[in-house]
Amino acid sequence: MKNKKFTPIKRLSLRDEVYETLKNSIVQLDFEPGARLHDKELAEDFGISRTPVREALKRLEDEGLVESTPGSSTRVTPLKEEEASHAFTVAAALHALGARLAIPQLAERDLDLLESANEELELALKQQDIIGAIKADEAFHQIYLQAANNPEIISALKRIIPKIQRLEIAQFGSLNGLKSVEQHKKIIEVSRQRNADMASRLVEENWLSLGELLTSKGK
C-alpha cells in the first residue's frame, strides 16, 4: 500500500511533529487498521531522515496504536473492541474525577463555552461530520479538565482517548450521537448549580453509555 503523502516538515521538533501527524492519521483511519507502515517510505514522504520516524513509531507502539514483530514491518494495530471497552471504563473514571475537581473552579465564561461546544457537537452530528463531532466533544470535556488543573489526569487520558476515537470513527454510522448532546445539557445544568457530585456522575455515565454503544455493535 502506498503511504499517504505528507507535507515536508521543517520545524525543529521533528520527533513530536511526526508523532502527532502519524497519530492523527491512524486515529482518523487515513491508515486503516492492519495497514503496514514502512519507516523508509514515511521518511521519504515527510522529507526527513528515518530516525525521527522510528522514534515516533516506537512511541505509537508504546501507546498501542501500532505493533511490530521481529523481522516484520510495523503495522497499525487492528481495532479491538475489548481493549476499547477497558479504555472507556478508565476514561469515564478520569473524566468524572476531572468534572468533580472542576465544578468549584468553573467561571461563567466556562459554562458559556460548554454550551457553545455542545451546540457545535449537535451541528456536526446532524451534518454527519464525525471529525467535527469528535473535536466538539473533546472541546466540551476539555473545559472541565482545564478547570480541574490536574496534569496527571490529562497525561493519562492522552494515552487512552486515541483508542476510543478510532472506534468512534470506524463505527460512526451506528452511533446515536444526539443522545450525548442531551446528556451534555444535563451536565451543564448541574454544573451551573455547582453540584459536583451529580456532574461527576453524569459525566461518567456519558462516557460509559458511549462505550456500551460502541463495543456492543453486532452483539
Side-chain angles (χ1 to χ4, degrees):
M1 185 192 79
K2 181 61 178 176
N3 291 323
K4 174 184 176 182
K5 289 294 183 180
F6 298 107
T7 302
I9 294 172
K10 298 181 181 180
R11 292 175 55 180
L12 294 178
S13 184
L14 290 177
R15 180 179 58 185
D16 291 341
E17 187 74 9
V18 171
Y19 162 76
E20 290 293 341
T21 302
L22 290 178
K23 183 178 74 172
N24 288 337
S25 294
I26 291 170
V27 169
Q28 296 179 17
L29 304 185
D30 293 329
F31 288 129
E32 297 180 356
R36 301 288 180 179
L37 300 177
H38 302 279
D39 57 5
K40 183 175 183 295
E41 290 182 8
L42 290 171
E44 290 174 353
D45 289 341
F46 281 120
I48 58 177
S49 70
R50 295 166 73 172
T51 298
V53 173
R54 287 172 174 172
E55 292 174 344
L57 289 174
K58 180 61 173 65
R59 186 173 171 185
L60 291 167
E61 184 177 5
D62 291 341
E63 296 177 1
L65 291 177
V66 304
E67 58 187 22
S68 61
T69 55
S72 178
S73 60
T74 301
R75 68 169 185 167
V76 177
T77 303
L79 288 171
K80 302 173 184 177
E81 288 194 4
E82 183 178 2
E83 183 178 288
S85 179
H86 295 319
F88 269 108
T89 301
V90 177
L94 290 172
H95 276 290
L97 175 59
R100 184 184 299 278
L101 296 174
I103 292 300
Q105 312 300 328
L106 289 177
E108 192 63 31
R109 171 172 169 74
D110 293 322
L111 295 167
D112 292 339
L113 288 174
L114 287 169
E115 297 275 7
S116 297
N118 202 37
E119 289 172 1
E120 290 177 8
L121 172 60
E122 183 174 18
L123 179 61
L125 288 168
K126 289 180 177 178
Q127 294 177 341
Q128 295 287 297
D129 177 8
I130 179 56
I131 303 302
I134 285 178
K135 288 182 178 179
D137 185 69
E138 190 172 27
F140 179 90
H141 291 287
Q142 190 66 27
I143 293 167
Y144 287 100
L145 295 178
Q146 290 177 346
N149 194 29
N150 187 317
E152 292 298 330
I153 296 176
I154 295 175
S155 178
L157 283 170
K158 281 183 177 180
R159 292 178 57 87
I160 298 170
I161 295 300
K163 297 177 182 179
I164 291 174
Q165 291 177 337
R166 272 214 308 163
L167 193 60
E168 283 186 279
I169 293 172
Q171 298 192 8
F172 179 63
S174 72
L175 297 182
N176 180 12
L178 293 178
K179 178 180 178 181
S180 188
V181 172
E182 294 305 314
Q183 289 175 330
H184 284 182
K185 289 179 181 179
K186 293 179 181 178
I187 293 170
I188 296 171
E189 181 181 348
V190 298
S191 296
R192 289 190 181 278
Q193 297 168 357
R194 304 296 174 178
N195 190 333
D197 290 340
M198 182 60 73
S200 177
R201 193 182 81 180
L202 291 176
V203 166
E204 185 171 24
E205 290 176 357
N206 176 233
W207 280 93
L208 290 177
S209 64
L210 178 60
E212 291 173 0
L213 182 61
L214 283 168
T215 57
S216 64
K217 182 182 180 183
K219 295 181 180 179

